[in-house]
Amino acid sequence: MVVTLNTRPVQKFSKILGLGTARPDVVVTNDDVCEWIDSSDEWIRTRTGISTRHRADSETSAMDLAIAAARDALQRSAVPPEEIDGVIVSTISHPYATPSLAAKLAHEIGVSPAAAYDISAACAGYCYGVGQADALVRAGAARNVLVVGVEKLSDFIDNSERSISFLLGDGAGAVVVGPSEEAGIGPTVWGSDGSKWETINMTHSLLEVRNRDWINNPVQEDEQVWPTLYQDGPTVFRWAAWEMAKVAQQALDEAGVSAEDLGAFVPHQANMRIIDQLVKTLKLPDHVVVGRDIADAGNTSAASVPLAARRLLDEHPELSGRLALQIGFGAGLVYAAQVVVLP
C-alpha cells in the first residue's frame, strides 16, 4: 500500500505588510569619537559620510531594541500576534551563543509558539531573513513571518581602534512578511565569498580568552581582552563598491524590472562613498530616492537596511507601494539583494 502524505497549500506570492524600527536615544558625534581616536570631524565626514551614530545605553540590550522594533512592525502590519508563525532574527550582537534571541523575542511579544531562530549573516542578515520569510510564506510553512535585524554593536567594539568602531551604531528594524495576491518580494540573489573571511572579523575568539595562560600571559595595559570587531577597510571597500553592483543588477534582472521602475534604492549603510559608487555604477535615474541613513545613524549592520527604508517612508510617504531595490553585504563575506514593494 502506498501512503500519500498531506502537504500544506502553497501561496503564490508574498509581500512586506509592515515595517517597524527602534533607534536608541544616545547620539555619539564625530567630536565624541575624536576623543577616542586621532581624527577629525571633517576627516570622518569626508571618508564615511557619517556625522553621528545612535548607541544604546548600558541598560538597553539588543533584546530591548528587537522588542520595540517588532511591536512597531506588528502594529503597522495590523497582523494579530496569533497569526505570526515564524520569527527570524538576524544579529551578530546577541551576547549568548544559545538560546536564540528569536525564541525569547517570540515570547516577549506574544507570538509563541511560532517557530523562532537566529541567523548570523551580519550586514546582509536582514535581506537574508526577508528571502527566507518569502520562501516560508509561499511554501505554506507559515502564514506570516516576523523578520528582525537588530544590533547592539557598541557591546562589541573597542572605541580606541580606528578600522571599524567609529563607524558603528545600534538599532533595530523589523518587517512582517505575509501572503499577497501579487508579487511583493522578488527573487533573492544571495551568496558568500569565504576567501575574504578574515576581512571583517573579531580580534580573537572566546576560546582564546578561555584558554589563555593568565599567569604567564597577564593582561597588558590598555589591552582589550573582550573580543571586538575589526576590518580590512580598503579590501572591504573595493569588494562592496564594485562586486555588489553586480549583485544588485542581478536582483533587478531576476525581478524582471529596470532601474527606471524603481522608487527607491536601499543599500546597506556601510559608507556613503560605497553608496554613491553603487548609485553611479547602477546608473540609477534621478527620481530614485536613495537611502542615506548612515549620515545620522552610522553603520548598524543587520539593522541598517530596514532603518534606512523606514526613514525613506517617513520622509517620502509617496514611496509606499513603489518598488525598492535593497541589498545587504558584510562579514563572511556574505551578500543578499531583492526588489520589494514598500509597505
Side-chain angles (χ1 to χ4, degrees), residues 219-286:
V219 178
Q220 303 300 307
E221 185 178 357
D222 297 328
E223 179 185 2
Q224 179 65 255
V225 175
W226 177 247
T228 56
L229 290 159
Y230 74 87
Q231 72 169 344
D232 174 357
T235 298
V236 173
F237 184 94
R238 289 191 297 270
W239 174 79
W242 302 108
E243 296 303 315
M244 292 305 96
K246 300 174 186 175
V247 174
Q249 184 60 55
Q250 186 179 348
L252 288 173
D253 294 342
E254 294 203 16
V257 300
S258 70
E260 289 285 344
D261 300 314
L262 297 175
F265 175 48
V266 193
H268 166 50
Q269 306 292 292
N271 184 302
M272 195 72 80
R273 292 190 299 147
I274 292 175
I275 295 172
D276 291 341
Q277 185 59 55
L278 290 173
V279 169
K280 180 179 178 180
T281 303
L282 290 168
K283 298 179 181 179
L284 296 183
D286 291 341

Side-chain angles (χ1 to χ4, degrees), residues 99-251:
S100 69
L101 191 153
K104 179 67 170 175
L105 173 64
H107 169 72
E108 292 292 336
I109 63 175
V111 302
S112 293
Y117 60 95
D118 292 354
I119 57 176
S120 178
C123 309
Y126 168 76
C127 293
Y128 265 60
V130 169
Q132 292 182 30
D134 167 53
L136 289 171
V137 170
R138 290 190 296 107
R143 290 171 295 177
N144 300 283
V145 179
L146 174 70
V147 178
V148 181
V150 58
E151 303 292 5
K152 191 185 178 189
L153 296 172
S154 56
D155 283 343
F156 295 88
I157 61 174
D158 173 4
N159 281 321
S160 66
E161 76 86 39
R162 57 181 301 133
S163 74
I164 194 170
S165 296
F166 72 100
L167 302 170
L168 303 178
D170 302 332
V175 290
V176 175
V177 174
S180 174
E181 294 299 316
E182 52 190 34
I185 299 175
T188 296
V189 176
W190 52 0
S192 65
D193 182 0
S195 69
K196 295 181 176 63
W197 190 80
E198 291 286 353
T199 56
I200 309 174
N201 215 307
M202 307 298 290
T203 50
H204 43 270
S205 73
L206 291 174
L207 287 178
E208 290 174 296
V209 175
R210 187 192 69 178
N211 296 334
R212 178 169 171 167
D213 183 349
W214 295 100
I215 295 176
N216 295 312
N217 187 17
V219 178
Q220 303 300 307
E221 185 178 357
D222 297 328
E223 179 185 2
Q224 179 65 255
V225 175
W226 177 247
T228 56
L229 290 159
Y230 74 87
Q231 72 169 344
D232 174 357
T235 298
V236 173
F237 184 94
R238 289 191 297 270
W239 174 79
W242 302 108
E243 296 303 315
M244 292 305 96
K246 300 174 186 175
V247 174
Q249 184 60 55
Q250 186 179 348

